[in-house]
Amino acid sequence: MTPALLLARDGIIYWVNVWLAPVECMFDMIESELVRRGIALEGVEPPSRPAA
């Protein structure tokens, strides 16, 4: 690949990551809240309760 294509590819990858970061953060927050409420999700372990 030419340097221009490599730079364009890196720019596209960076732009997509920046654009998706808030979406990913929101999904993580929703998933954490569901787990906190005790709703079982595939592949997610509920948090352990702290010792009293």
Side-chain angles (χ1 to χ4, degrees), residues 4-46:
L5 288 176
L6 289 171
L7 185 61
R9 184 191 71 165
D10 289 344
I12 291 168
I13 291 170
Y14 176 77
W15 179 81
V16 169
N17 286 333
V18 168
W19 185 78
L20 287 178
V23 175
E24 188 173 338
C25 182
M26 184 59 63
F27 275 109
D28 288 344
M29 288 172 37
I30 291 169
E31 188 176 73
S32 296
E33 182 63 20
L34 291 174
V35 170
R36 188 184 70 80
R37 292 182 183 202
I39 299 171
L41 301 174
E42 289 183 26
V44 177
E45 296 292 323

